Amino acid sequence: MASRLLGGRLSSGKRAPCNEAPTSTWFENLFDAYKDADEQIICPEGVERLCQALNLDPSDVLVLVFAWKLGAKRMGYFLHEEWLAGCKSFSSAHSTSELCNLLKAIHDSTLRDPSALRSIHSFTHKFCREDERVRNVEISSAIIMLQLLHGKTFPAHVKNLVAFMESNAPLQKRGVSHDEWMMILQFCREVEPDCSNYQDDGAWPVLLDDYVEWYQKQQKL
């Protein structure tokens, strides 16, 4: 999954102008360089070639940032209309190196902006669900996204949460809901790594109550 971070849905629609956002001939031409020969879409093979041009591993967090800013809906694909939606964010880029630098700047800014961090965190939950009818994200996907998004910012929490998720059989079966996913981010931001200030007052979901109980037991082993 980590190699399929960019995405969208198949569409054979005609090329549309970038109406409200600034236009960039270079950025629009970049789409043509990697799109499918028969469809207005970048498919997995094109995604991999694009990542190579940007000198990024497909599992790099900057690729996820790219998908978020374009509002991609499906891993492994980029719709043309999604690409055009990125004009506002990326119209100043005129080379792959400039585009990569923009992604780095956006990512750095996101880490300093709680609202933006919540936005990309929320985005990843839907992005990981290949079927919109499925409400929960599989644990394997949740683990990848936790490590990718927050592994460096909240290393202790992420390491322990991953261990908890991997050892929890019921959670493995049902996955993580969107509400739980959003509360995990709040937990990482508000609760100390040793959970010393955690308040079991009903404000947290059962998933995090169970995690804290599990963590405390691990400390006594």
Side-chain angles (χ1 to χ4, degrees):
M1 186 195 73
S3 64
R4 300 186 291 117
L5 282 177
L6 298 180
R9 291 187 174 182
L10 284 173
S11 170
S12 59
K14 295 182 179 179
R15 195 178 183 93
C18 188
N19 294 325
E20 299 181 357
T23 59
S24 167
T25 300
W26 177 83
F27 187 69
E28 291 192 38
N29 288 341
L30 191 65
F31 180 88
D32 292 331
Y34 297 101
K35 74 178 183 68
D36 184 82
D38 301 317
E39 300 280 351
Q40 287 295 313
I41 189 171
I42 298 179
C43 294
E45 296 80 2
V47 169
E48 291 188 12
R49 291 190 293 112
L50 175 61
C51 289
Q52 291 173 358
L54 292 170
N55 198 27
L56 295 174
D57 187 278
S59 63
D60 195 299
V61 68
L62 297 184
V63 184
L64 181 61
V65 170
F66 197 22
W68 167 55
K69 295 303 290 185
L70 274 73
K73 296 180 180 66
R74 181 184 170 198
M75 289 186 184
Y77 301 88
F78 255 162
L79 286 172
H80 185 245
E81 52 262 38
E82 293 171 345
W83 191 270
L84 291 181
C87 288
K88 184 175 181 179
S89 297
F90 304 119
S91 62
S92 63
H94 297 91
S95 67
T96 52
S97 61
E98 288 183 3
L99 178 55
C100 193
N101 286 336
L102 275 175
L103 289 170
K104 291 177 182 177
I106 292 170
H107 181 234
D108 290 343
S109 175
T110 299
L111 295 178
R112 299 189 299 268
D113 182 347
S115 177
L117 189 61
R118 281 181 56 83
S119 176
I120 191 171
H121 183 81
S122 177
F123 166 81
T124 58
H125 191 274
K126 186 174 182 179
F127 195 49
C128 288
R129 287 157 31 211
E130 296 188 3
D131 186 340
E132 290 186 353
R133 294 170 296 181
V134 177
R135 297 198 174 195
N136 291 359
V137 166
E138 293 181 359
I139 291 302
S140 59
S141 299
I143 286 174
I144 289 173
M145 289 302 165
L146 275 178
Q147 294 171 327
L148 193 62
L149 283 175
H150 310 301
K152 293 182 179 179
T153 308
F154 309 110
H157 273 318
V158 170
K159 178 182 177 181
N160 292 324
L161 280 164
V162 166
F164 166 71
M165 289 179 176
E166 290 177 336
S167 66
N168 190 305
L171 190 61
Q172 289 276 349
K173 290 181 179 180
R174 72 171 180 85
V176 179
S177 71
H178 183 263
D179 287 343
E180 290 171 333
W181 182 243
M182 297 309 296
M183 291 301 285
I184 286 174
L185 174 59
Q186 185 174 336
F187 178 91
C188 289
R189 296 187 61 208
E190 296 182 3
V191 177
E192 295 295 332
D194 63 0
C195 301
S196 58
N197 64 331
Y198 184 78
Q199 298 292 320
D200 186 6
D201 56 5
W204 300 101
V206 173
L207 182 152
L208 290 171
D209 289 337
D210 290 346
Y211 163 68
V212 173
E213 181 180 353
W214 171 89
Y215 173 80
Q216 291 171 341
K217 287 181 179 179
Q218 295 301 306
Q219 302 313 299
K220 295 177 182 179
L221 295 179

